[in-house]
Amino acid sequence: MKQELKEKLETCVRNGELLHWRWSQTQTQRIEAYLVGQGKSCLADKKRQVSDQKRYLTVVVPLDGSSQGVYSGEVNESREASALVSDFITKAKVSQEKIWPIPSNKELDIPNVKSFDPKVIENPAAVANEFVKRIEKSVAEIQAAQFNSGEIFVTASETYILASNGFSEVKKSSTCYAEVCFSSHKSRDHDSQEFVVTKWAVHPDQINIKDMCERSVEGANQLAIAEKMPTGQFNVIVDSEVLAHIYEDVVSQLNIKRKYLSLPFIASGDKIVDSEDASYNISLDPTIPYGLQTSVFDRWGVEQKPLTLVTDNRVIHNIVDNQYGHYLGKVANTSVGNIKLESRNSVSVKELRKKSGTVIEVLQLSGLFTDPNSLTFSSEIRLAKIYDNSTGKIFYAKGGNLSGSFKRN
């Protein structure tokens, strides 16, 4: 941040033109690798490096005794500081919200958390190369289907943050993305059937390339010969990716912001589902090692701690940030973190497959649609494994629709 701009912002706070400001500068380096199939092996088709730097400024201006205006935008540092700040102030005056206090940042003894992988920060290209080698090795060992394509993205970011309340931090983050796709020609009409498997992570060790390839091969081969989906209502098993989408909507309804905005809201003391047999806890945990939402600070430097939201189907805490907590007279707690589920009566997937007469285990959906207001969900089933426990038959099927309501189902 240029000293001239910092001094101008500080002057505006002193003379009352600004209530608060927040500056961030992010340096990002991303390595992209693309692979294509070549016979029974794969070829690293191309690789590229993308470097980017962005600067953002948020300003909060007083409007009258009870309201304020806020504007956030990207900054062009080549502009003269006074003109830039004046432009941001003008744009902030267009918006309006109730004033809420941004607490002064305190020097606290906050524990370190593992929010990034140092190897990605130091050398994202080396991490990407290791992913490519893992894909090449897995493809060479698999002969049951044709490798079609693969993608690897490894991103290292460092963000410098400075705010008028005294918050100053260098925040590092790492993300890894892997995608593999195998195809099969075993279909009766000899059309190619492709099955894409993707994975996001913070740490490279969270991505199992061999497992992804095996899932892609199984999906491609079984999609080619899959039967028609049986009709009726059945017990369904879905994986964590589907559950993550559904529970993200559920947790959003525990945020007190929704009460203020008159949106569907689940209050402390309420049940989250109609069933009495929901023996698990939901929490917001910003300390989970290598979580995508792991951070011990919010954007203004307020400490974030693990917060239990639901215990055995009953909401015991709502998510309260400083802004909406102030509006509604509630004490702020944690508003940043990973969604964590803990079951007291865990049942293995193997047991679930035998739970009723027919069980459908979804292997891939065509596209999950969820509604954060009604907490309903629906999607066409692209491929599933069917367990007919009355006959002992196990087979693959495609088609049909997965739909329901979180509260009822």
Side-chain angles (χ1 to χ4, degrees):
M1 183 181 196
K2 288 186 176 180
Q3 186 64 25
E4 178 190 8
L5 178 57
K6 183 173 182 288
E7 290 174 356
K8 178 61 180 177
L9 291 167
E10 290 173 341
T11 299
C12 288
V13 172
R14 285 195 299 270
N15 64 26
E17 288 184 86
L18 287 179
L19 293 175
H20 309 285
W21 57 267
R22 181 185 185 276
W23 163 273
S24 67
Q25 177 175 312
T26 301
Q27 178 70 45
T28 301
Q29 184 179 7
R30 184 174 71 252
I31 306 297
E32 302 176 359
Y34 301 87
L35 300 94
V36 295
Q38 189 177 56
K40 290 295 184 180
S41 62
C42 69
L43 174 68
D45 184 36
K46 57 183 175 180
K47 182 186 292 185
R48 70 173 183 167
Q49 177 177 317
V50 180
S51 296
D52 189 28
Q53 188 175 87
K54 291 183 182 280
R55 304 171 183 86
Y56 292 95
L57 177 64
T58 297
V59 297
V60 184
V61 302
L63 297 178
D64 53 41
S66 61
S67 61
Q68 63 185 24
V70 182
Y71 178 72
S72 297
E74 192 171 349
V75 171
N76 179 357
E77 274 205 321
S78 65
R79 292 187 65 186
E80 192 267 329
S82 293
L84 189 151
V85 174
S86 177
D87 182 38
F88 270 59
I89 289 175
T90 299
K91 292 176 178 177
K93 290 179 178 178
V94 176
S95 68
Q96 185 174 13
E97 65 183 25
K98 289 182 180 179
I99 284 180
W100 57 280
I102 294 176
S104 297
N105 191 249
K106 301 175 183 179
E107 290 292 335
L108 300 172
D109 185 18
I110 297 176
N112 290 325
V113 293
K114 295 178 179 179
S115 59
F116 64 92
D117 175 34
K119 291 181 180 179
V120 172
I121 299 296
E122 294 166 9
N123 195 343
V127 175
N129 288 338
E130 182 57 36
F131 272 121
V132 170
K133 289 178 182 177
R134 283 198 246 169
I135 292 178
E136 290 174 338
K137 183 175 185 296
S138 295
V139 171
E141 294 172 350
I142 293 173
Q143 301 298 316
Q146 172 70 46
F147 178 75
N148 190 42
S149 63
E151 294 182 8
I152 295 293
F153 293 170
V154 178
T155 306
S157 298
E158 294 189 52
T159 301
Y160 169 59
I161 303 168
L162 186 63
S164 56
N165 67 336
F167 180 45
S168 177
E169 177 73 0
V170 176
K171 183 178 180 179
K172 299 179 180 180
S173 64
S174 60
T175 54
C176 303
Y177 170 79
E179 175 184 308
V180 296
C181 176
F182 283 78
S183 60
S184 173
H185 295 277
K186 292 184 177 181
S187 63
R188 297 172 183 87
D189 53 10
H190 302 290
D191 286 341
S192 174
Q193 296 289 339
E194 299 178 347
F195 197 89
V196 179
V197 177
T198 63
K199 178 73 174 178
W200 283 96
V202 170
H203 195 288
D205 290 349
Q206 293 171 312
I207 296 179
N208 186 330
I209 293 293
K210 183 180 179 181
D211 177 70
M212 289 178 63
C213 289
E214 290 174 348
R215 286 171 54 203
S216 180
V217 168
E218 177 192 21
N221 285 333
Q222 298 303 330
L223 196 59
I225 58 174
E227 299 180 23
K228 185 179 179 180
M229 184 69 67
T231 58
Q233 293 187 347
F234 307 103
N235 283 334
V236 178
I237 301 172
V238 295
D239 64 13
S240 59
E241 184 177 350
V242 174
L243 291 175
H245 283 289
I246 294 173
Y247 275 93
E248 186 175 19
D249 287 350
V250 173
V251 170
S252 75
Q253 288 207 7
L254 304 180
N255 195 316
I256 203 168
K257 175 181 178 178
R258 294 180 66 93
K259 180 180 180 180
Y260 181 80
L261 297 175
S262 299
L263 294 170
F265 170 69
I266 307 174
S268 179
D270 292 348
K271 292 182 178 181
I272 61 165
V273 295
D274 297 338
S275 170
E276 297 296 330
D277 187 31
S279 55
Y280 60 87
N281 300 338
I282 305 176
S283 60
L284 202 60
D285 192 342
T287 67
I288 293 176
Y290 308 119
L292 286 166
Q293 296 296 327
T294 294
S295 175
V296 288
F297 299 101
D298 70 3
R299 67 190 312 269
W300 289 100
V302 178
E303 183 181 5
Q304 304 291 286
K305 299 178 180 179
L307 175 69
T308 300
L309 301 171
V310 176
T311 297
D312 292 342
N313 199 26
R314 188 78 62 178
V315 178
I316 61 172
H317 291 112
N318 286 111
I319 298 170
V320 183
D321 66 7
N322 281 287
Q323 180 179 5
Y324 293 96
H326 177 73
Y327 292 166
L328 295 171
K330 303 291 184 180
V331 177
N333 48 37
T334 292
S335 57
V336 175
N338 307 283
I339 298 171
K340 182 178 180 180
L341 301 182
E342 295 176 291
S343 174
R344 290 197 291 105
N345 299 316
S346 296
V347 180
S348 70
V349 175
K350 187 175 181 180
E351 291 176 273
L352 287 174
R353 289 167 179 160
K354 301 176 181 178
K355 197 168 179 66
S356 62
T358 300
V359 175
I360 297 177
E361 183 173 0
V362 174
L363 301 181
Q364 191 172 77
L365 298 173
S366 293
L368 179 66
F369 297 94
T370 66
D371 186 328
N373 293 314
S374 64
L375 298 185
T376 55
F377 52 89
S378 65
S379 176
E380 182 183 355
I381 298 174
R382 186 160 188 258
L383 182 66
K385 198 170 185 178
I386 315 300
Y387 297 86
D388 185 343
N389 293 308
S390 61
T391 64
K393 181 183 178 182
I394 300 174
F395 62 99
Y396 292 82
K398 58 185 176 182
N401 186 61
L402 169 70
S403 62
S405 160
F406 177 82
K407 284 184 170 291
R408 290 194 308 271
N409 303 118

